[in-house]
Structures are given as structure tokens and as C-alpha cells.
Amino acid sequence: MTGTPVIDKVFADNLGTAFGGCVRDQCVSLFSREIPRAAGVDWNPLPFIGREAKTRFRARWAALLQGIGLWVALTEIPELAAEDKLSRKISSQLQAYTDAVLKAPLIDHLTADEVRDYNLLRQRFMRMATITSTPPSNDQFARAFLSAVSGRTPSEIPGDRILKLSAQITLAANLFRKLARICRDDPQSYERASKKN
């Protein structure tokens, strides 16, 4: 590849796939007990106790992470936000790939109502990510997530709880930011998957 690479649908598709993998990693292998602790959720340290509640929480966290990932993509790579077709492409690929890689470890273990909750939360967080008039902040994402988890209205969420969860969101967003920069600088990010190897 010569010259400056163009941020196009191929790049958006590849970035969406990379971010979907990042969501998986943050919900499965890199998941920390500090996240539910920051959210004020009781989390039994024994792996098989409270498994259903833990799976439900991780699915909600995955929904939030997809919104955070989209938000980072649109702010870190402005070309994606400048064209609707590119923002839609990364959004759809991020969702599709995340669902594919989280199917066995998380989604297959949810009830039909919990899957509906996951999808509705994801839509909510991804809509937040695309607000351009007043872009969201970590605190706004934290408040929205805590409201969903606790069943309280956003205005009822204590400030210290928002700060604690916002710190976890910052860590997650930083992973997406690093990955966005790596993808932007990698020539393979601009190639279709069928041409790689």
C-alpha cells in the first residue's frame, strides 16, 4: 500500500471486528472483580456461586463496552464520525462480531428476557456514543449503566459510585483507544479479510 491509507468501509469493518474482540476479552479473560465492586454489586469470589447473576452482569457490561467502543472509534478517528455509512459499518460489525464471540461464554446462558435486556441496553449505550451535539462523558456512561443495574433513576445514583465506575470505564476506553491507534497505523487494517495471509 502506498500513500496515506483512506479510512473507508473496509477499515471500519476491520476496526469493528477488532473492537468486538476487545469487548470479548474485557468480558471474559480480562474481566476484573473491581468492575462489579465499583458498580456496588455483590460478587461471590467462588466461581460457581451466583453464576446466573454474574453472567447477567457481564452481558450488561458487554452492552456498555460496545457503546464505549463505538464512542472511542468515533472520537479517536474523526473520519468515521464524518460519514454515516462508516459509523453504521463499524457499529454493525462491532455488534455482529461481539455477539458471535460472546455467544458461547455469555449469550447462550441468558434467558430470553435477559437477551432482550442486553440488546436494549446495547442500543441505549450505542445511541449515547453517537450524540454529537453534547458528546457523552465517562460519568454519563457510568450513570446510565448504574441506573440499569440498580433499577434507580440516574439522578438517584450516588456521586462516589459514579466516580468508581467511571474509573473502570476509563480503563476500558483506554484499551479501545490503544487498539484504534494500532489499527489506524497497520496497513492490514485497510485490506479485506479475504486478501490477508
Side-chain angles (χ1 to χ4, degrees):
M1 181 188 291
T2 59
T4 303
V6 176
I7 303 294
D8 59 7
K9 286 176 121 179
V10 172
F11 176 85
D13 192 62
N14 288 333
L15 186 65
T17 299
F19 273 23
C22 189
V23 171
R24 177 206 52 216
D25 290 346
Q26 292 189 65
C27 289
V28 181
S29 55
L30 299 177
F31 188 81
S32 163
R33 287 191 202 130
E34 289 303 313
I35 297 166
R37 188 175 294 134
V41 173
D42 289 330
W43 194 272
N44 194 302
L46 299 173
F48 299 109
I49 296 180
R51 178 180 259 173
E52 294 82 8
K54 291 175 181 178
T55 301
R56 187 168 49 251
F57 182 89
R58 284 183 195 227
R60 289 175 167 180
W61 185 246
L64 173 65
L65 288 176
Q66 289 169 79
I68 299 295
L70 180 60
W71 172 54
V72 167
L74 299 179
T75 54
E76 197 68 28
I77 304 174
E79 295 94 328
L80 294 173
E83 283 194 54
D84 283 346
K85 67 180 181 181
L86 295 180
S87 60
R88 282 194 307 270
K89 175 53 97 174
I90 186 171
S91 175
S92 64
Q93 184 61 18
L94 170 57
Q95 292 178 68
Y97 193 73
T98 299
D99 283 355
V101 295
L102 286 182
K103 186 176 186 321
L106 285 182
I107 296 172
D108 282 351
H109 303 282
L110 300 173
T111 66
D113 285 344
E114 289 166 348
V115 170
R116 187 165 43 253
D117 174 65
Y118 161 74
N119 285 318
L120 288 172
L121 279 177
R122 172 169 60 188
Q123 288 173 15
R124 178 180 177 188
F125 297 132
M126 293 190 99
R127 270 195 309 272
M128 283 179 69
T130 59
I131 296 172
T132 54
S133 54
T134 52
S137 65
N138 289 357
D139 287 357
Q140 288 169 310
F141 277 112
R143 190 183 299 274
F145 182 79
L146 290 166
S147 174
V149 169
S150 68
R152 298 160 139 184
T153 63
S155 61
E156 294 175 319
I157 306 298
D160 64 330
R161 183 66 59 209
I162 292 168
L163 286 174
K164 287 177 184 175
L165 191 66
S166 183
Q168 295 300 318
I169 289 172
T170 298
L171 293 173
N174 286 342
L175 284 176
F176 285 117
R177 282 192 185 92
K178 287 177 185 173
L179 184 55
R181 291 171 192 149
I182 290 167
C183 289
R184 184 164 200 163
D185 295 339
D186 184 357
Q188 290 189 338
S189 297
Y190 302 86
E191 299 175 7
R192 294 202 181 278
S194 61
K195 291 185 179 178
K196 294 178 182 175
N197 292 334

